[in-house]
Amino acid sequence: MTVETAPVIVFDIGGTSWRTARSAGTGILTGLAVQSAVTRSRTGAHAASLHEVMVAFLLRRVREIRESDPDISTVGISLGAATNGHTGHVLASAPLWGDYTQPFDLRAVLTAAEPGLDWCVVNDVTALALAITDTDTIRDSGLQVVTAVTVGSGIAARTIDVASGEPCLDRVYGMQGEIGHLPAVLVGGPGHDAPVCECGVAGHVSAFSSGKAIEAQLRQLAGVLGLGDTDGEDPASLTGQLAAALAARHPAALEFLDHVTAPLARALLYTLAIDARVDRVMLSGGVVDALGEDYLASVYRHLEADGLYLYPPGVFRDKVVWWRSDGLDPLRGAAVYARRQRAQAAGPVSGNRC
């Protein structure tokens, strides 16, 4: 059995759900299990307590899987948190832990509990980018640099070199692409306070455009948007109602969609203006998948209205696309990352700093 085909236990720990699977080979996942995420917004618990809950979950699931497959010794964790790719420290996660920003060495904690296993922790958007660039579709496309963007409970981006699978990280702080925590260009109409991001700062892109922000706004505007009773509705149901209203071309729903996509579209515009290496931006995540073509059309409307200086308006239809998948790419990317870490451990480190 080679490193490329050796089984890996993989996790995707996000602000909406926690997912576990077994990766038996490139892109192949089995035994998928899903549970609701345990977060500050749902429980009100302090981040330190939530860290303990997450660690206990990871250890419990790994031990359960290894009872039936004790030969698995590698674990890959895609984590919805800002991380320092040089040190591996987890820095913060607004969707998981709110405004808490004390570094947390998750890998060290897990290794202390189960020292016989190889624990590999990677940012979830890096995992998404690794999964995308690991596909034949992208490797054979001629694209050199792509940016993966996830729009879910949080928002972030990761620009990655296709050939090497290396994201470029800040030399000092080890981060890249936290676009959800940029100030939104439009921070509310006259007489309205800017919404507060889960990180505690008002007016961030995520405060308007993330899945949780959209859910909160849908509950407030349900009557205007022609939605049904939203009391007790889960986020998926709310987004589904919005999708139906968009399909019916409800004017208020279309206007609402343009409102929530505007801050993200501006962040993408600046990304393309600043980094000329980016051949394509891949939009992914629960919000994009739920709203589909209507979401993409709204993003295009903003990009084409604002434009890039001296670029033809149609350039965005090629530059920004919907990465259509089954939503499991962060799990696949965690496996890619874990296998690369195992391979590097057998020889010189190539500099993967995600």
Side-chain angles (χ1 to χ4, degrees), residues 113-202:
E114 287 285 354
L117 301 180
D118 291 316
W119 297 93
C120 304
V121 181
V122 62
N123 169 269
D124 63 335
V125 193
T126 297
L128 171 64
L130 287 170
I132 289 173
T133 55
D134 196 53
T135 63
D136 291 338
T137 300
I138 298 303
R139 284 199 300 260
D140 298 338
S141 66
L143 301 173
Q144 296 182 17
V145 176
V146 300
T147 298
V149 176
T150 187
V151 186
S153 57
I155 294 174
R158 194 66 80 247
T159 298
I160 188 168
D161 179 83
V162 172
S164 68
E166 295 283 345
C168 180
L169 302 178
D170 183 278
R171 295 180 185 178
V172 175
Y173 301 103
M175 295 193 298
Q176 185 232 120
E178 293 296 332
I179 61 173
H181 297 290
L182 292 174
V185 174
L186 300 175
V187 291
H192 291 81
D193 293 330
V196 178
C197 181
E198 286 191 298
C199 73
V201 177

Side-chain angles (χ1 to χ4, degrees), residues 15-339:
T16 301
S17 63
W18 292 355
R19 303 185 291 183
T20 315
R22 182 180 182 276
S23 172
T26 303
I28 302 173
L29 298 172
T30 59
L32 177 67
V34 184
Q35 77 161 54
S36 294
V38 182
T39 68
R40 184 170 181 178
S41 64
R42 289 176 175 172
T43 66
H46 188 271
S49 298
L50 294 170
H51 288 170
E52 292 177 1
V53 170
M54 178 181 66
V55 168
F57 167 77
L58 293 168
L59 291 171
R60 175 175 59 80
R61 289 294 296 130
V62 165
R63 289 162 180 164
E64 288 172 352
I65 292 171
R66 295 189 74 239
E67 283 181 1
S68 59
D69 198 343
D71 292 334
I72 299 182
S73 61
T74 304
V75 183
I77 302 169
S78 162
L79 183 63
T83 61
N84 182 327
H86 304 317
T87 66
H89 290 172
V90 179
L91 303 177
S93 174
L96 284 167
W97 310 311
D99 59 1
Y100 187 83
T101 57
Q102 294 300 311
F104 173 50
D105 194 344
L106 175 60
R107 183 176 183 274
V109 171
L110 293 168
T111 300
E114 287 285 354
L117 301 180
D118 291 316
W119 297 93
C120 304
V121 181
V122 62
N123 169 269
D124 63 335
V125 193
T126 297
L128 171 64
L130 287 170
I132 289 173
T133 55
D134 196 53
T135 63
D136 291 338
T137 300
I138 298 303
R139 284 199 300 260
D140 298 338
S141 66
L143 301 173
Q144 296 182 17
V145 176
V146 300
T147 298
V149 176
T150 187
V151 186
S153 57
I155 294 174
R158 194 66 80 247
T159 298
I160 188 168
D161 179 83
V162 172
S164 68
E166 295 283 345
C168 180
L169 302 178
D170 183 278
R171 295 180 185 178
V172 175
Y173 301 103
M175 295 193 298
Q176 185 232 120
E178 293 296 332
I179 61 173
H181 297 290
L182 292 174
V185 174
L186 300 175
V187 291
H192 291 81
D193 293 330
V196 178
C197 181
E198 286 191 298
C199 73
V201 177
H204 277 177
V205 170
S206 284
F208 292 91
S209 304
S210 71
K212 289 187 177 181
I214 292 172
E215 173 195 348
Q217 294 170 84
L218 286 175
R219 293 187 188 280
Q220 293 174 351
L221 301 172
V224 176
L225 298 174
L227 306 184
D229 183 8
T230 61
D231 290 341
E233 292 285 344
D234 63 39
S237 176
L238 285 171
T239 308
Q241 288 189 52
L242 175 60
L246 292 169
R249 318 321 291 167
H250 191 293
L254 292 166
E255 184 179 356
F256 172 79
L257 181 61
D258 284 345
H259 167 72
V260 298
T261 59
L264 175 65
R266 296 266 165 73
L268 299 181
L269 191 69
Y270 299 154
T271 297
L272 292 171
I274 292 168
D275 193 345
R277 300 172 307 158
V278 176
D279 295 315
R280 190 158 295 162
V281 175
M282 312 289 194
L283 298 180
S284 183
V287 173
V288 182
D289 292 340
L291 301 180
E293 294 291 351
D294 284 318
Y295 188 91
L296 192 61
S298 180
V299 171
Y300 287 151
R301 282 195 291 273
H302 292 299
L303 293 174
E304 291 169 359
D306 290 338
L308 282 173
Y309 184 58
L310 300 180
Y311 280 70
V315 69
F316 299 111
R317 306 277 168 158
D318 180 62
K319 283 276 193 181
V320 180
V321 301
W322 173 17
W323 177 253
R324 300 167 191 257
S325 75
D326 57 6
L328 302 179
D329 281 333
L331 289 165
R332 296 188 182 95
V336 171
Y337 179 76
R339 290 190 175 100

